[in-house]
Amino acid sequence: MLGISCDPFLEGTNENPNDPVSVSSTALLAPIELTLAYTYNANLARWSGLFTQHVKGVARQQSGFDGYNFTASNFSTDWSNLYVDVLQNIEVMIAQATERGNNHYVGAGQTLKAYTIMLMTDYWGSIPYSEAFGGVERLQPKFDSQASIYDEVHRLLSAARTSLSGSNGGISLSGDLVYGGDVALWIKATHAIDARAYIHQGLLSDANYTAALNSVNQAFDSSADDMTFKFGAAAPTAAPWYQFNRDRGDTGFNSTFGDALDALSDPRRDLYDGDPDIDNFGDVYETHEFFTIDQAVELVTYRELQFIRAEALLATGGSQANIRAAYLGAIESSFSGLGLDAEYAAYIAQAEVSPATITLENVMTQKWFASYGDPEAFSDWRRTAIPTLAPNNGVAIPTRWLYPQTEIELNANTPDATLYDNVDWDID
């Protein structure tokens, strides 16, 4: 396990990321995975949690963010981490592995690249991609449309399946902190990421719901297949949420979310809130049962795929029996993952949880409950407007991130955008 203790440790993972012969693919893969998982579980998770009202900023800087007081400079670190320490290093790894015939590294790189550019376009809309890695020849790359980025996501995932199914070129997939070199699980993950991409695009075409179902059917068979990155149990290797609560501690549990859980006597509340009598997670960071020091950051899960299946079946006229099976399977996976197996039967016995007819409201509310601390909840809320949430400040909840100040100043092609503009798949 590689150690990090705060965001600056993610800068400059490799001394010379533009030299594809200076660092081996085996040495590149782990830092790429680490930076992606760390970034996903840091600002992306915290600020998305403010918008979806999983958490609340209760002091200092996070209190301002709770009122949506962001500036472009707030988003520079995440933009840089994802471009420099993830995507640039993936470019190097893929180029080197392609030259040497190490197809499994190519496939892992293509999978992580697809995941990262989808994540970025979901938050920023149009992003530099086709001209983003041209070095000094392309200091002001154009911004590619979200539609073209999604086309590239699907293309990369298809290419990854081909690469991962090929010869390893004499080098097995070592240094892999996500799947421990299990190529079959990487292939399943490509389908899982495809399913997420297609469900995001559902409002653009009904065909995407069918495509999402096809992808789910080829993805994870159980939670044992989940794409996760587990952090360590020592201070230098601690998970991002734990580090933040320990070092800053100005975020706490949101009562809107808590009241919704309490209305259904949901036992997950006791794990999520840290301590019902403490406002700041920083005061209970050592005992918080969810944001633990060695938290396994979930990049995409079987639980999520079962919710996607239920949503896509609803959209395509699937049977209530199949919708119910996917919906309850997702809830059961959530309970099991939290060690609440014994509470599951009583919970779903409630008519409010398992009504005669499962609706989109049921599916997305339960997905909101199960996606605590997951940035994906922000995409779900933007797509479906479920649950109904009142803004913390003003008349609207943000629906995207601002382009970072560094990009605005250095790239004349940077589009104008506000926190309240929709990304292209968010057409409602």
Side-chain angles (χ1 to χ4, degrees), residues 65-322:
F65 292 157
D66 198 68
Y68 315 139
N69 296 314
F70 289 91
T71 65
S73 61
N74 296 129
F75 303 99
S76 295
T77 296
D78 301 281
W79 181 273
S80 176
N81 286 344
L82 292 172
Y83 267 117
V84 177
D85 292 325
V86 178
L87 289 175
Q88 178 63 64
N89 284 337
I90 290 174
E91 288 289 304
V92 173
M93 185 176 75
I94 290 176
Q96 177 176 277
T98 299
E99 180 181 354
R100 298 177 181 179
N102 305 141
N103 292 308
H104 294 176
Y105 279 97
V106 174
Q110 290 165 326
T111 305
L112 293 167
K113 187 177 185 181
Y115 188 99
T116 303
I117 63 173
M118 179 168 66
L119 179 64
M120 295 188 74
T121 194
D122 288 341
Y123 277 78
W124 280 291
S126 299
I127 58 171
Y129 178 73
S130 59
E131 297 179 355
F133 307 104
V136 295
E137 302 299 323
R138 294 286 187 182
L139 293 178
Q140 295 195 4
K142 71 176 183 180
F143 280 65
D144 295 286
S145 69
Q146 184 168 82
S148 68
I149 296 297
Y150 263 85
D151 286 344
E152 179 67 356
V153 167
H154 295 303
R155 187 200 70 78
L156 281 166
L157 293 169
S158 177
R161 288 188 281 274
T162 299
S163 300
L164 290 162
S165 299
S167 166
N168 65 13
I171 299 180
S172 61
L173 196 59
S174 62
D176 172 18
L177 300 180
V178 171
Y179 281 130
D182 191 323
V183 174
L185 289 178
W186 275 101
I187 293 174
K188 288 184 179 183
T190 67
H191 292 294
I193 298 165
D194 250 339
R196 177 185 285 186
Y198 282 123
I199 205 71
H200 285 181
Q201 296 176 288
L203 295 175
L204 303 177
S205 170
D206 288 344
N208 289 320
Y209 291 112
T210 300
L213 285 171
N214 291 336
S215 295
V216 168
N217 289 337
Q218 299 174 81
F220 302 152
D221 297 313
S222 72
S223 58
D225 296 339
D226 288 354
M227 187 179 186
T228 62
F229 185 102
K230 187 171 177 60
F231 283 84
T237 61
W241 258 110
Y242 177 92
Q243 286 189 34
F244 181 85
N245 292 338
R246 177 194 66 201
D247 299 340
R248 303 186 190 183
D250 48 5
T251 296
F253 191 69
N254 195 304
S255 61
T256 298
F257 186 52
D259 290 346
L261 293 167
D262 288 344
L264 295 175
S265 301
D266 196 310
R268 289 171 289 192
R269 163 70 187 262
D270 290 339
L271 300 177
Y272 290 162
D273 65 11
D275 186 315
D277 299 318
I278 301 295
D279 290 333
N280 290 22
F281 289 154
D283 293 334
V284 291
Y285 74 89
E286 289 183 335
T287 58
H288 200 294
E289 295 176 272
F290 189 82
F291 296 129
T292 59
I293 189 171
D294 61 346
Q295 183 179 1
V297 174
E298 299 175 336
L299 298 174
V300 61
T301 65
Y302 173 79
R303 178 191 69 240
E304 178 187 340
L305 295 183
Q306 294 313 296
F307 280 122
I308 289 174
R309 187 195 297 276
E311 180 184 352
L313 285 169
L314 279 165
T316 57
S319 71
Q320 269 292 312
N322 289 338

Side-chain angles (χ1 to χ4, degrees), residues 20-39:
V21 299
S22 63
V23 181
S24 69
S25 297
T26 56
L28 282 168
L29 181 57
I32 289 167
E33 294 170 336
L34 167 68
T35 307
L36 177 58
Y38 191 96
T39 305

